[in-house]
Amino acid sequence: MKPLDKAVIETMSEADWQNRLDDLSYYVLRQKGTERAFTGLYTDTEADGVYRCKGCHTPLFDSSAKFHSGCGWPSFDKVIGDNVVDETLDLSHGMRRIEVTCHHCGGHLGHVFPDNHVTDTGLRYCINSAAVVLDEA
């Protein structure tokens, strides 16, 4: 899977995104929605590979960073490299969270939380299955 070219992404309309994505993925990636806890395709997946943004196919997380946190969404303790995600303060829904978006296409992926007692990195990226696709090794 090759990531979409940045120049192509910049010309895409919301109609283009709707045509590219299924309804749930469009809702999550483009409208900052979330899938219901424990319903996502990758919540319990243990296959090896690379999780890519479903919108633009940018590599985001390696399966070796995935762990079972019990939060209801796929959890990772680190991203695959520098400049693949952006983190922004999210004060919606009466909560204080850090939103995680794809650096390449801006798609909403989920949120990152401090989780010092579980991971070596002290982070838990809770990512919607609808926002990613697993490129199995």
Side-chain angles (χ1 to χ4, degrees), residues 9 20 40 49-50 64 89 96 109 119 121:
I9 291 170
R20 181 176 178 79
V50 173
S64 64
L89 181 62
R96 182 181 181 89
L109 303 169
T119 69
T121 64

Side-chain angles (χ1 to χ4, degrees), residues 36-113:
R36 288 189 355 241
F38 301 103
T39 63
L41 176 64
Y42 300 120
T43 303
D44 296 318
T45 299
E46 295 185 15
D48 291 337
V50 173
Y51 289 84
R52 295 173 176 267
C53 175
K54 194 166 187 179
C56 68
H57 300 294
T58 295
L60 301 171
F61 301 96
D62 187 88
S63 61
S64 64
K66 189 173 186 293
F67 67 101
H68 293 283
S69 70
C71 73
W73 291 272
S75 298
F76 303 87
D77 68 349
K78 62 185 172 192
V79 294
I80 205 165
D82 296 333
N83 300 316
V84 296
V85 300
D86 295 321
E87 299 177 6
T88 308
L89 181 62
D90 176 4
L91 299 174
S92 66
H93 306 290
M95 295 181 272
R96 182 181 181 89
R97 305 176 291 177
I98 303 297
E99 178 188 16
V100 179
T101 56
C102 175
H103 179 75
H104 198 67
C105 73
H108 171 78
L109 303 169
H111 293 86
V112 62
F113 301 95

